[in-house]
Amino acid sequence: MLDKNSKIYVAGHRGLVGSAIWNNLKQRGYENLVGRTHQELDLTDQLAVRAFFDEERPDAVVLAAAFVGGIMANSLYRADFIMQNMKMQCNVISESYAHGVKKLLFLGSTCIYPKNAPQPMKEDCLLTSPLEYTNEEYAIAKIAGLKMCESYNLQYGTNYIAVMPTNLYGPNDNFHLENSHVMPAMMRKVYLSKLIHDGNWQAIRRDLDIRPVEGFSGAAKSDDILAVLAKYGIYDNKVVLWGTGTPLREFLWSEDMADASVHVLLNVNFSDIIGIEKYSSVHYGTKADGTVDRNHSAGRGGAIPKLGEIRNCHINVGTGKELTIRQLSELVVKAVGFEGVVEFDTSKPDGTMRKLIDVSKLHSLGWTHKVEIEDGVGKLFEWYRESLK
């Protein structure tokens, strides 16, 4: 297992989940952490990733870096979503194995599940029917990532674990309108609409200086700002959101996700997940003293008749609770103090109608969430307001 001196590389340590995982590890006394920004290390560059592992040689890796976005971004950048994510995870996982990394945690997404999967979605419903079209490429990349972890474990006796979080929100969330997820996008739209109605142009310009929209910063003309915001459904005291408002969604506070991730990283092994304690002695090599050698497979691996078929070894991470997009908008409106109108454009796609996950495996491994959505929306808006100062 990992001790407090273990070197842990957190890929994506500036992102929503990566930053929360970094902070969680620090709070637990793990100080030997390694991070690189995208400018410092392009994870799609195989040679650069190899050089990084040659230099740092981490004991453990958390792969929280990804190319992400909402429905609009997934529709516009389909090739990027599959190619960028596949490159990143292939490079990091293969170099982790080549450099003898003891433990790897791969972060995916619950969009890996079929569009019409039975609800709540258990891990076993993976690959049982077609995916949601609007995020098919991202889902396929993440499925490939979790299968890489599973396959390396079976062939090489590694200890790579894949966790699939539900929709996440929290500190360091992405509020850029072109490619953000549903909650931060909704929150920013409602906030900007309120500012327009209040005539608070100082705050509007400050907001756009920090997060420009289609290249328009706070220095742009007022009419140009209003025009570009209108493209995203933001008007004077009125916000237009995509879809019908009826899809159900589950949301998890990012710091809860980080706590779950670190819990799994430190306390859960592949043998725990597949529920076969004898896996380690059957599959790994044995040292001269008779103890298990986790650095070497007992054989070629892959097909082990004693264990039968092993699949769906990933872990769902969520709350097991859901609400509609319309109900979410009501929580956002309350948090922002918005007194205007929220409309839904039913000509736009809804995406998957329901995405509730079964979290019984996670609970059986000793972790449950702490932050409820009603409190979390308010906490996110507080963070957003602070980010504008």
Side-chain angles (χ1 to χ4, degrees), residues 237-268:
N237 229 27
K238 185 178 82 169
V239 172
V240 179
L241 304 175
W242 279 29
T244 62
T246 58
L248 287 156
R249 288 292 180 272
E250 174 184 14
F251 293 93
L252 179 67
W253 183 245
S254 60
E255 292 173 335
D256 271 357
M257 173 58 195
D259 195 61
S261 298
V262 175
H263 173 80
V264 170
L265 180 70
L266 301 179
N267 302 300
V268 178

Side-chain angles (χ1 to χ4, degrees), residues 131-151:
L131 298 164
E132 161 61 41
Y133 179 75
T134 56
N135 60 13
E136 191 174 43
E137 282 71 18
Y138 183 73
I140 288 172
K142 289 300 180 181
I143 291 170
L146 74 87
K147 284 294 181 183
M148 282 182 219
C149 293
E150 195 175 278
S151 301

